[in-house]
Amino acid sequence: GFLLPKDFIPKWWIWGYWISPLVYGYNALAVNEFYSPRWMDKFVMDKNGVPKRLGMAMLEGANIFTDKNWFWIGAAGLLGFTIFFNVLFTLCLTYLNPLGKPQAVISEETAKEAEDNGLPRETVSNGSTRRNGSTRRNGSMKSKDGSNN
């Protein structure tokens, strides 16, 4: 997307302007840039012939807030959106169920070993037939070299 200047947004859509994190970041960056000395040390004439600082003229021309505090308002807004979306994401992961049927991915070696032990391939979950280099057979653990542990 792209940003529309606040004055060009219809009144019934102004809520979309204020809930966009992009607006807060853009305003903070613009205010920080145009208040720097390279913009504020130069003067231009406004339409009434009165000298005005170039940085202020650029901010007003782009319909950006001219108060210097908008840098901190934008930074706080971005921090607030970050915290809000992280909390929302965490709550969604905690309380929502995943879509579809969960399926385990097992290696071909594990599947072959399970089939050799007489288990159908569909009932094997990853690592269920193999633990720490050993296989489970008839309730006892046997290592690869054949000795009991």
Side-chain angles (χ1 to χ4, degrees), residues 9-58:
I9 298 174
K11 297 295 179 207
W12 60 90
W13 285 355
I14 200 66
W15 59 268
Y17 178 84
W18 291 111
I19 65 167
S20 173
L22 190 61
V23 168
Y24 290 91
Y26 177 72
N27 285 337
L29 287 174
V31 167
N32 186 50
E33 173 64 25
F34 291 122
Y35 267 95
S36 69
R38 67 176 162 242
W39 293 95
M40 294 304 264
D41 291 346
K42 296 178 181 158
F43 291 89
V44 294
M45 296 294 183
D46 67 1
K47 52 187 160 188
N48 297 330
V50 179
K52 183 184 267 190
R53 294 189 182 271
L54 179 59
M56 293 297 285
M58 293 294 293

Side-chain angles (χ1 to χ4, degrees), residues 83-99:
I83 292 169
F84 172 72
F85 285 127
N86 277 309
V87 167
L88 185 66
F89 182 73
T90 302
L91 290 174
C92 287
L93 286 178
T94 303
Y95 294 110
L96 295 179
N97 293 327
L99 299 174

